[in-house]
Amino acid sequence: MKLIFRLGAAALVVACWLSAGSTPFVDAVHGAVEPADFTRDYVTARARLEEGRSPPPAGEDGNQRAARYGAPQVALLGAPYFIHPPTATLAVLPLGRLPFRMAALLWAAASLVALGWLAISLLAIWRPGVPPAAGLVALLMLGLCAWPPTLHCLEKGQWSIWLAALSAAGFRAFEARRSRQTGVFFGIAATLKVTPILVVGFLLARNRRAAAAMLATVGGALLASLAI
């Protein structure tokens, strides 16, 4: 019965996957050049480089800066212009020194690297102790690249691929009982988006050394962000 349920669920996912047609691929190609979500990070990082310590761009000020930087304007819908933690800006600062189009393409390339890392970690979690074969890594990475949610992340320039790669690497380290690596990977993920900080509750219950490493990583990133 469980096998039938799983096969049915898999068939439903594949049907939804195929129903999207070529649209996700086309949108990913066009969007990777002008990724809306990455634009906010880029504009904030460039503003920080130009003005030093100051609040992130607010509201339409961000769109006005984007126009000056050659970046697309985004629909705010009443939301703040920059919605990531300040520590996320540290990762984008080097790209803020580049023209927007070049920075966007480098961000897309980095996302593909993260996708390869994710594929390696997933295979290692699936078969612990067995080095992932290059062919399987390439096949899984190809499948992940063709998955509509991944294509949407590439289109918008989102952090989600990096969060998935860091989380998978953290879980792989946790399974291998590498406490420090576990905490560092999950800690870095929490500096890019706030949500992964919830993992610290799980680590406190299962591996306090990993939890301490995670909190130390987040704390170190916060201090570096404050200093820079």
Side-chain angles (χ1 to χ4, degrees), residues 96-219:
R97 300 184 182 275
L98 302 173
F100 174 75
R101 187 66 59 88
M102 184 183 299
L105 291 176
L106 284 175
W107 180 253
S111 296
L112 291 176
V113 171
L115 208 60
W117 184 22
L118 173 61
I120 293 172
S121 295
L122 290 176
L123 289 171
I125 292 170
W126 177 43
R127 300 177 66 186
V130 179
L136 281 177
V137 172
L139 187 62
L140 180 55
M141 185 177 176
L142 184 63
L144 290 171
C145 281
W147 195 33
T150 304
L151 293 169
H152 180 77
C153 289
L154 293 172
E155 174 196 350
K156 301 297 183 182
Q158 294 179 347
W159 286 98
S160 301
I161 294 175
W162 276 104
L163 289 182
L166 286 164
S167 298
F171 184 76
R172 179 185 179 187
F174 176 80
E175 291 286 284
R177 304 193 179 200
R178 297 193 296 267
S179 301
R180 183 176 298 175
Q181 285 188 21
T182 300
V184 169
F185 285 135
F186 283 126
I188 294 174
T191 66
L192 303 179
K193 268 193 169 182
V194 176
T195 312
I197 199 66
L198 296 174
V199 177
V200 75
F202 168 78
L203 294 180
L204 282 171
R206 300 288 298 275
N207 188 327
R208 292 191 177 181
R209 290 182 61 189
M214 181 178 179
L215 292 174
T217 300
V218 174

